[in-house]
Amino acid sequence: MTQSYPEPAVSVCFGVTIDDARLGTFNSCEGLGLEIVLEQREEGGQNGFIWQLPTRIKYTNIKLTRPLCKDTTEVMAWLASMTTGVKPQTASITAMTAERKTVAQWGLLGVIPVKWSGPGLNLDSPKVALETLEIAHHGFTAKKVAG
Protein backbone atom coordinates (compact mmCIF):
# COMPACT_ATOMS: atom_id res chain seq x y z
CA MET A 1 0.00 0.00 0.00
CA THR A 2 1.43 3.34 -1.07
CA GLN A 3 0.94 6.29 1.23
CA SER A 4 0.35 9.70 -0.35
CA TYR A 5 2.05 12.75 1.14
CA PRO A 6 1.03 16.36 0.54
CA GLU A 7 2.95 18.33 -2.05
CA PRO A 8 5.80 20.27 -0.45
CA ALA A 9 6.19 23.99 -1.06
CA VAL A 10 9.25 23.91 -3.33
CA SER A 11 8.74 27.08 -5.34
CA VAL A 12 6.89 29.29 -2.91
CA CYS A 13 5.45 32.78 -2.94
CA PHE A 14 3.76 34.41 0.02
CA GLY A 15 0.46 36.27 -0.26
CA VAL A 16 -0.03 38.95 2.40
CA THR A 17 -3.30 40.52 3.52
CA ILE A 18 -3.64 43.10 6.32
CA ASP A 19 -7.27 43.29 7.49
CA ASP A 20 -9.02 43.83 4.13
CA ALA A 21 -6.01 45.27 2.29
CA ARG A 22 -4.27 42.86 -0.08
CA LEU A 23 -0.56 43.73 -0.19
CA GLY A 24 0.25 41.22 -2.94
CA THR A 25 2.76 38.40 -3.07
CA PHE A 26 6.31 38.33 -1.78
CA ASN A 27 9.21 36.06 -2.81
CA SER A 28 10.78 35.83 0.64
CA CYS A 29 9.30 35.55 4.13
CA GLU A 30 11.69 35.38 7.08
CA GLY A 31 11.04 35.39 10.81
CA LEU A 32 7.87 33.35 11.20
CA GLY A 33 8.47 31.99 14.66
CA LEU A 34 8.20 32.28 18.38
CA GLU A 35 10.33 31.66 21.43
CA ILE A 36 9.15 30.61 24.87
CA VAL A 37 11.24 32.46 27.43
CA LEU A 38 12.32 30.29 30.34
CA GLU A 39 13.24 31.35 33.84
CA GLN A 40 15.74 29.10 35.57
CA ARG A 41 15.32 28.36 39.28
CA GLU A 42 17.75 26.44 41.39
CA GLU A 43 16.26 24.55 44.30
CA GLY A 44 18.28 24.23 47.49
CA GLY A 45 19.45 20.68 48.11
CA GLN A 46 18.68 19.60 44.52
CA ASN A 47 21.97 19.59 42.63
CA GLY A 48 20.78 17.19 39.92
CA PHE A 49 18.72 19.67 37.90
CA ILE A 50 17.52 23.24 37.50
CA TRP A 51 13.82 24.08 37.14
CA GLN A 52 12.97 25.53 33.68
CA LEU A 53 9.82 27.62 34.15
CA PRO A 54 8.06 29.11 31.10
CA THR A 55 7.37 32.83 31.58
CA ARG A 56 6.26 34.46 28.31
CA ILE A 57 6.18 34.03 24.55
CA LYS A 58 8.26 36.30 22.29
CA TYR A 59 7.32 36.64 18.62
CA THR A 60 9.99 37.52 16.08
CA ASN A 61 9.50 40.27 13.49
CA ILE A 62 8.66 39.09 9.98
CA LYS A 63 10.57 40.38 6.94
CA LEU A 64 8.88 40.17 3.55
CA THR A 65 10.91 40.85 0.40
CA ARG A 66 10.04 41.07 -3.30
CA PRO A 67 11.00 42.88 -6.50
CA LEU A 68 9.23 46.21 -7.02
CA CYS A 69 5.90 45.69 -8.77
CA LYS A 70 2.47 47.31 -9.08
CA ASP A 71 1.54 45.94 -5.61
CA THR A 72 4.16 48.29 -4.10
CA THR A 73 1.47 51.00 -4.25
CA GLU A 74 -0.71 48.85 -1.95
CA VAL A 75 2.09 48.71 0.63
CA MET A 76 2.63 52.46 0.35
CA ALA A 77 -1.10 53.12 0.82
CA TRP A 78 -1.14 50.92 3.94
CA LEU A 79 1.93 52.69 5.35
CA ALA A 80 0.46 56.11 4.51
CA SER A 81 -2.65 55.22 6.52
CA MET A 82 -0.39 55.05 9.59
CA THR A 83 0.33 58.80 9.53
CA THR A 84 -2.83 59.48 11.55
CA GLY A 85 -1.87 56.86 14.14
CA VAL A 86 -0.56 53.33 14.22
CA LYS A 87 -3.33 50.89 15.02
CA PRO A 88 -2.60 47.15 15.41
CA GLN A 89 -4.35 45.08 12.77
CA THR A 90 -4.75 41.43 11.85
CA ALA A 91 -2.87 39.86 8.95
CA SER A 92 -2.70 36.67 6.97
CA ILE A 93 0.37 35.20 5.28
CA THR A 94 -0.32 32.40 2.82
CA ALA A 95 2.43 30.18 1.39
CA MET A 96 1.53 29.11 -2.14
CA THR A 97 3.09 26.99 -4.88
CA ALA A 98 3.85 28.45 -8.30
CA GLU A 99 0.35 27.34 -9.35
CA ARG A 100 -1.13 29.45 -6.48
CA LYS A 101 -2.15 26.36 -4.50
CA THR A 102 -2.18 27.13 -0.76
CA VAL A 103 0.35 25.08 1.19
CA ALA A 104 0.17 26.78 4.60
CA GLN A 105 -1.39 29.85 6.14
CA TRP A 106 -0.62 31.91 9.24
CA GLY A 107 -2.93 34.44 10.89
CA LEU A 108 -1.23 37.21 12.86
CA LEU A 109 -2.63 39.39 15.65
CA GLY A 110 -1.66 42.95 16.52
CA VAL A 111 0.31 43.62 13.34
CA ILE A 112 2.16 46.92 13.03
CA PRO A 113 4.75 48.01 10.48
CA VAL A 114 8.29 48.29 11.80
CA LYS A 115 10.28 49.19 8.71
CA TRP A 116 10.00 49.52 4.96
CA SER A 117 13.03 49.84 2.74
CA GLY A 118 12.95 50.49 -0.95
CA PRO A 119 15.51 49.75 -3.62
CA GLY A 120 18.86 51.38 -4.08
CA LEU A 121 18.59 52.72 -7.60
CA ASN A 122 22.06 52.95 -9.10
CA LEU A 123 22.98 52.87 -12.79
CA ASP A 124 26.47 51.54 -11.99
CA SER A 125 25.01 48.42 -10.41
CA PRO A 126 22.10 47.04 -12.44
CA LYS A 127 20.28 44.71 -10.03
CA VAL A 128 16.67 43.78 -9.46
CA ALA A 129 14.99 46.59 -7.49
CA LEU A 130 13.80 45.04 -4.21
CA GLU A 131 11.56 46.26 -1.43
CA THR A 132 11.46 44.87 2.11
CA LEU A 133 8.62 45.21 4.59
CA GLU A 134 9.19 44.32 8.24
CA ILE A 135 6.22 43.82 10.54
CA ALA A 136 5.84 43.02 14.23
CA HIS A 137 2.96 41.03 15.69
CA HIS A 138 1.60 39.83 19.04
CA GLY A 139 0.76 36.23 18.20
CA PHE A 140 -0.78 33.72 15.84
CA THR A 141 -4.41 32.86 15.21
CA ALA A 142 -5.62 29.39 14.36
CA LYS A 143 -6.20 29.10 10.62
CA LYS A 144 -7.07 25.92 8.76
CA VAL A 145 -5.97 25.42 5.18
CA ALA A 146 -8.92 24.30 3.07
CA GLY A 147 -8.60 21.22 0.92
Side-chain angles (χ1 to χ4, degrees):
M1 179 156 116
T2 304
Q3 187 172 7
S4 175
Y5 292 99
E7 177 186 351
V10 178
S11 177
V12 179
C13 62
F14 301 92
V16 178
T17 306
I18 308 279
D19 282 342
D20 293 327
R22 186 185 157 281
L23 300 186
T25 57
F26 290 80
N27 298 68
S28 173
C29 177
E30 299 175 14
L32 275 171
L34 62 87
E35 176 185 351
I36 297 177
V37 179
L38 299 175
E39 184 177 310
Q40 296 184 347
R41 293 289 177 133
E42 298 177 11
E43 185 176 350
Q46 282 288 359
N47 296 329
F49 68 94
I50 297 175
W51 291 101
Q52 302 280 342
L53 306 173
T55 60
R56 71 187 81 234
I57 299 175
K58 286 178 17 180
Y59 299 96
T60 54
N61 287 353
I62 298 171
K63 286 186 180 180
L64 301 154
T65 305
R66 69 176 170 203
L68 283 182
C69 63
K70 64 180 182 174
D71 288 333
T72 298
T73 58
E74 299 299 327
V75 173
M76 298 287 63
W78 180 60
L79 294 173
S81 74
M82 301 290 163
T83 58
T84 58
V86 178
K87 182 180 88 172
Q89 298 173 301
T90 57
S92 176
I93 298 177
T94 305
M96 298 174 287
T97 64
E99 293 80 29
R100 300 287 192 237
K101 181 179 173 187
T102 298
V103 177
Q105 191 171 29
W106 298 270
L108 306 172
L109 298 170
V111 173
I112 56 172
V114 174
K115 182 179 181 181
W116 178 85
S117 57
L121 303 173
N122 185 346
L123 292 176
D124 295 336
S125 176
K127 296 180 184 176
V128 174
L130 298 177
E131 71 172 322
T132 301
L133 175 64
E134 184 175 346
I135 58 175
H137 65 100
H138 295 174
F140 295 99
T141 64
K143 286 237 179 200
K144 298 272 186 189
V145 176

